[in-house]
DNA sequence: CTGAAAGCGCTAACAG
DNA sequence: CTGTTAGCGCTTTCAG
């Protein structure tokens, strides 16, 4: 992450006036102020500042100069209140969720490119999803993008009755809900393909249980193994390091030569146990994770893993939301994005 | 993180009307609708819905019922536009930054308790801090809470001329800026104390360079060592795993029995190198991290580390922002919160 | 091409 | 206690 050098915040007042905590009477300039200063009407000023067609080059110039001098910034609330459209996309995300952070980053750029703004609403241990959604609704977002929502399908459907809802990173089978997600079965398949290519035959899968995506990953694993004429072996796991540790312990009773794990966190647990048990990775056992989290790319972990295509996921999500708003007819309700394998140091041919 | 069970989003329309993507003419009910339905004036309805003193129990009841039936939700923008106060606190955070996620969680609860709302604005690789700030300003936030801002002090000061600014998790020495941060020197000192208590004498410190907090942690380490009559040994490091790996390699030339590291990520790099070099942790070398990140608590990592007090940091930040808004006079511009050591498995007496 | 006037949904004076 | 009347700052007809 490059450390951006920020010179200023572009407040751009004619001269930076310093005043104490609350100097009263120094309100921000309004459109009326700008218009007055430029010697035109508010309406004209409004047109110029939105650069709508109409105003002459001369007026345009004068208004722009006046606005610049006053350090004018339009009031979002007033603007949105008046115009029927808000061009606001609400995003619900888990504040502690690393992958959601990545997705939010992608959403910002995708939205900006299409001329929309994002309104963020975080889910925290003390702030449930429904609360986050409600805040967005009150802000008059035009559509909602939900990252890995916990809500029941029925609740999502109810919500989708009020405004377009795009669910990202969770499979929801319902007519009303747009979904953008990763082809998790394909990801699992790629992991198996890779291991087979290295010469492995005894490949186990540590399962994610009920977690979103787990069913697909499990299925992808099963199908791939079967396609190769091999016997699938699924071990109960979960989404935490602890789950991985438990699974690895079970695995050690009759160790395979390779294992695909539900996600990186779980894989971390697996790696920990293997290390303590003296099972060398990748010499004695190959391990493949899922998510390409920061953990996976750490030098001393160097975990082979399946990466989701953040840019594509977020672009599709934003586009779908906007398509719905525009009334563009849409063929597929569910858009599935292919992941790709990132080969690192935890996989090698069996010895 | 408990998986919240969400039954619905509380839209609460009398009957859940299902309509297609964009059924026109089905706008949300306004205050006027509610008032009409309850047979009272808008003003009265407004009073009831904000539960302001005045309205009789009877009218209150009728308005509430009407609002409930219509599924009325006040329009945030209209409300804020009209009232001089917005009760909105803008928060700038790094979307990829794990610790910022924790802080945002704390801020939400702190703000809610004081009757304020949060407006989130994320910094991403493609969205610089100044942009994030500008968005918040346009939303007419009353104060800004900046998490570990990159901006130059001068830019922060300029910003603080327009509205109260509270900087969290970064030291800024300036009259106009309120700062809430962790006593990083104290944290480093606690780490050294702990190691000394275990019997270590040769303790090195892997430095964070120019990163926020690094100087304080380095100083805390130095002072603690000196206080014990020991020779400080600072090794160049940084904030990534790679930096830690480099530092550890340097360290191995003349290994100490213990090392305090700038942060957990860097410590991860250190641990990786030590492991590969066959230096047992904690038998041959004790390692202390900083941040108590998720990584530190992973079972197979189990890193002794210094934890920041998120709840206190966020509570103080919100309170300070509100104090400024209320014009409450404030004594200390900078509030420093003590961290605490979390002892785990990477520290033990020297052998 | 420009200006006057109406009003988005709500709150905040005032009257009654 | 309740209703009427003005706007918040902006966009949007609709005339000029």
């Amino acid at each position: 992450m490059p450390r951006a050098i920020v010179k200023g915040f572009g407040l751009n007042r004619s001269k930076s006036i310093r005043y104490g905590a609350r100097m009263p009477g120094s309100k921000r300039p309004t459109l009326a102020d700008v218009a007055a200063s430029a010697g035109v009407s508010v309406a004209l000023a409004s047109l110029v500042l939105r650069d709508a067609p109409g105003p002459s080059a001369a007026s345009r110039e004068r208004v722009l100069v006046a606005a610049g001098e006053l350090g004018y910034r339009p009031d979002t609330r007033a603007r949105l209140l008046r115009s029927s459209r808000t061009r606001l996309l609400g995003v619900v995300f888990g504040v502690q969720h690393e992958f959601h952070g990545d997705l939010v980053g992608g959403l910002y750029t995708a939205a900006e490119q299409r001329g929309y703004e994002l309104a963020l609403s975080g889910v925290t241990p003390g702030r449930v999803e429904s609360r986050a959604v409600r805040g967005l609704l009150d802000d008059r977002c035009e559509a909602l993008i939900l990252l890995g929502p916990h809500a029941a399908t029925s609740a999502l459907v109810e919500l989708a009755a009020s405004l377009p809802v795009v669910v990202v990173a969770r499979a929801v089978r319902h007519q009303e809900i747009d979904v953008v997600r990763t082809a998790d079965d394909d990801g699992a398949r790629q992991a198996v393909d890779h291991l087979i290519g290295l010469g492995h035959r005894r490949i186990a899968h540590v399962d994610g249980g009920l977690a979103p995506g787990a069913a697909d990953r499990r299925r992808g694993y099963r199908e791939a193994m079967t396609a190769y004429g091999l016997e699938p072996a699924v071990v109960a796991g979960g989404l935490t390091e602890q789950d991985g540790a438990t699974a690895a312990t079970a695995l050690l009773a009759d160790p395979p030569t390779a294992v695909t794990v539900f996600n990186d966190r779980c894989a971390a647990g697996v790696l920990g146990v293997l290390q303590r048990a003296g099972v060398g990775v990748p010499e004695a056992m190959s391990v493949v994770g899922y998510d390409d989290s920061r953990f996976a790319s750490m030098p001393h972990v160097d975990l082979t893993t399946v990466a989701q295509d953040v840019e594509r996921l977020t672009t599709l999500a934003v586009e779908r939301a906007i398509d719905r708003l525009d009334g563009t007819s849409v063929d597929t309700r569910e858009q599935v994005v292919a992941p790709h394998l990132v080969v690192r140091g935890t996989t090698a041919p069996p010895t």
Side-chain angles (χ1 to χ4, degrees), chain A residues 137-163:
Chain A
L137 257 23
D138 292 348
D139 283 345
R140 297 300 188 264
C141 291
E142 297 188 40
L144 253 35
I145 296 176
L146 311 179
L147 308 187
H150 300 323
T153 300
S154 61
L156 294 173
V157 170
E158 183 192 350
L159 185 60
S162 312
L163 82 179

Side-chain angles (χ1 to χ4, degrees), chain A residues 31 63 207 281 319 337:
Chain A
L31 185 55
V63 171
D207 188 44
V281 172
E319 280 183 349
V337 175

Side-chain angles (χ1 to χ4, degrees), chain A residues 68 89 130 191 259 272 308 346:
Chain A
L89 303 179
S130 54
V259 58
Q308 306 197 39
T346 56

Side-chain angles (χ1 to χ4, degrees), chain A residues 9 25 76 83 99 172 187 223 226 251 257 263 279 293 313 333:
Chain A
F9 290 109
T76 310
S83 47
F99 184 55
V172 177
E223 289 175 1
T226 309
L251 227 44
T257 65
N263 71 3
V279 178
S293 62
L313 287 171
R333 211 201 62 262

Side-chain angles (χ1 to χ4, degrees), chain A residues 310-328:
Chain A
V310 170
E311 189 189 334
R312 187 143 177 73
L313 287 171
T314 52
T315 304
L316 288 176
V318 167
E319 280 183 349
R320 174 51 53 90
I322 296 175
D323 282 350
R324 289 296 186 195
L325 292 174
D326 293 346
T328 306

